Amino acid sequence: ERQQVTVEGGIFLSDLNIELSKHGLALANLGAVSEVAAAGVIGTGTHNTGIKHGILPTQVVALTLLTASGEILECSESINVDIFQAARLHLGCLGVVLTVTFQCVPQFHLHEVTFPSTLTEVLDHLGDHLKRSQYFRFLWFPHSENVSVIYQDPTNKPPSSSASWLWDYAVGYYLLEFLLWISTFVPRLVCWINRFFFWLLFSSRVENIAISYKIFNYECRFKQHVQDWAIPIEKTKEALLELKAALENNPKMVAHYPVEVRFVRGDDIWLSPCFQRDSCYMNIIMYRPYGKNVPRLNYWLTYEGIMKKHGGRPHWAKAHSCTRKDFEKMYPAFPKFCSVREKLDPTGIFMNAYLEKVFY
């Protein structure tokens, strides 16, 4: 009746999606990848897109936590409320998440429409796009005006696909990896590669219909470095144009495609990048063709500078250079989280090198 489901913290979402569909249920929103555990997905604040939808932890209505002392705590909006607010985005530092209870929705299919546009058009009509599609995002191809707009909306139409293995894998994966590897020797090729792949794979309208999780999940290609910060939604245009200008003014700085732009509803989770504000996530990427690292420091620091200037907060599971001082400024509830953490784990059993940068 409540359409809620309790799972062990270690279940992969890829398994959960299949189990839920057997019961005629689904999660209202999912990230790009489902080969991740339920406890980890909420612990890092995984998100997708859709201005009516929050980050994935907003779908959590209860959880159980095994603390450093060996105590098992039941947490929800009515029991251990403060711990629940902290544990919905827990960074792995409050204890072991044993179970998670998700609020589900009836199973649904999504109709995905992808079509070409320009950065100017999308930024000038952002409000219209957000109203037009429940799960709207767009991909900008750096060093150009090219944009691929993606609309995803619930539908009753039967599943269908216009995707092709040849284009998506042979070209979109193997050829891209090879060309990006060559560009490590001739960096100026990146501008050409971005334009060429837009023309090849993104310049015509494509439609797909499938069960929701098959549309939410998508191919992230090969190894990559990423940053993904959330800024107040009203700063979207300004920040993106600033990044574009920075690339234009510095010809030696190259950026792989795409810059993925997504939109998420604000929430009240203490360490959520969307805490108390509707947000725009701007994800930048540098691929590692055949595992080779591509110089990215300049691009990384330029992007971080723009994000910080516009009040950004970094995705907890992606690259960033922030320390406790930054987080204290970014998160009004940071002291509250710290006091819950210190109470639950006074000796730092759950600390690691990353968390020490966050809390010390």
Side-chain angles (χ1 to χ4, degrees), residues 293-310:
N293 276 332
V294 178
R296 64 181 190 282
L297 191 62
N298 246 354
Y299 182 32
W300 250 221
L301 294 175
T302 302
Y303 165 85
E304 275 203 353
I306 294 167
M307 294 295 106
K308 279 182 178 169
K309 176 182 159 187
H310 293 292

Side-chain angles (χ1 to χ4, degrees), residues 143-304:
H143 309 292
S144 78
E145 261 282 306
N146 297 330
V147 160
S148 176
V149 174
I150 300 152
Y151 285 174
Q152 295 169 341
D153 292 285
T155 182
N156 295 320
K157 293 177 189 168
S160 67
S161 173
S162 51
S164 117
W165 180 90
L166 174 76
W167 290 108
D168 291 354
Y169 284 90
V171 175
Y173 189 112
Y174 299 109
L175 179 62
L176 178 65
E177 187 167 26
F178 177 65
L179 290 175
L180 287 176
W181 179 76
I182 290 176
S183 79
T184 61
F185 306 102
V186 192
R188 64 174 180 276
L189 280 179
V190 170
C191 308
W192 175 84
I193 292 168
N194 287 0
R195 287 171 186 168
F196 174 63
F197 270 84
F198 178 80
W199 170 78
L200 205 59
L201 298 179
F202 297 91
S203 59
S204 57
R205 185 184 170 96
V206 176
E207 299 193 36
N208 290 307
I209 298 172
I211 194 162
S212 58
Y213 65 85
K214 289 185 178 171
I215 297 283
F216 286 140
N217 291 165
Y218 51 91
E219 176 56 60
C220 292
R221 298 194 173 92
F222 36 91
K223 288 178 179 173
Q224 54 196 246
H225 290 286
V226 284
Q227 285 215 61
D228 190 18
W229 287 53
I231 55 173
I233 197 165
E234 61 276 10
K235 302 280 191 183
T236 306
K237 181 175 180 176
E238 207 180 326
L240 207 45
L241 290 178
E242 229 169 286
L243 186 62
K244 184 173 187 262
L247 288 167
E248 283 166 2
N249 296 334
N250 188 346
K252 284 191 173 161
M253 188 159 66
V254 297
H256 292 167
Y257 88 82
V259 171
E260 184 179 13
V261 185
R262 291 175 281 183
F263 304 90
V264 181
R265 195 189 68 211
D267 59 53
D268 56 2
I269 298 170
W270 291 352
L271 290 191
S272 164
C274 304
F275 182 71
Q276 293 184 343
R277 66 188 197 198
D278 290 348
S279 300
C280 162
Y281 275 93
M282 216 168 277
N283 184 86
I284 64 166
I285 189 167
M286 285 302 272
Y287 284 113
R288 299 168 57 203
Y290 310 120
K292 183 178 181 180
N293 276 332
V294 178
R296 64 181 190 282
L297 191 62
N298 246 354
Y299 182 32
W300 250 221
L301 294 175
T302 302
Y303 165 85
E304 275 203 353

Side-chain angles (χ1 to χ4, degrees), residues 314-330:
H315 190 314
W316 290 105
K318 297 185 182 177
H320 63 80
S321 61
C322 301
T323 59
R324 177 169 180 143
K325 270 186 187 158
D326 298 302
F327 295 127
E328 283 172 339
K329 285 184 207 139
M330 292 169 180

